[in-house]
Amino acid sequence: MALTENDVRGIAEYARIALEGDELAEMTAYLNDAVDMLEPVLAYNLPDVDPTFHPIGSLSNVMREDAA
């Protein structure tokens, strides 16, 4: 999935980054290279691997009880 200059312009506006002229073309090429680097990762099919949300597992709160 290649990003177009219009896609990158929209991302830049959302992030409030001013890109003009050659900068827009340069950033489009840069972001397309970054997306291309993710292709090998997306090709993995790992149905037996459960998704994780935190590398430490079930650790959710390390704060002590609040006491007056």
Side-chain angles (χ1 to χ4, degrees), residues 4-16:
T4 65
E5 284 192 4
N6 196 31
D7 294 331
V8 174
R9 185 178 293 113
I11 294 168
E13 286 176 9
Y14 183 75
R16 297 180 186 259

Side-chain angles (χ1 to χ4, degrees), residues 25-51:
E26 221 176 289
M27 185 57 69
T28 301
Y30 179 78
L31 289 176
N32 278 318
D33 288 344
V35 170
D36 289 342
M37 284 190 281
L38 293 174
E39 288 298 322
V41 175
L42 297 174
Y44 287 115
N45 184 10
L46 304 171
D48 298 332
V49 177
D50 293 330

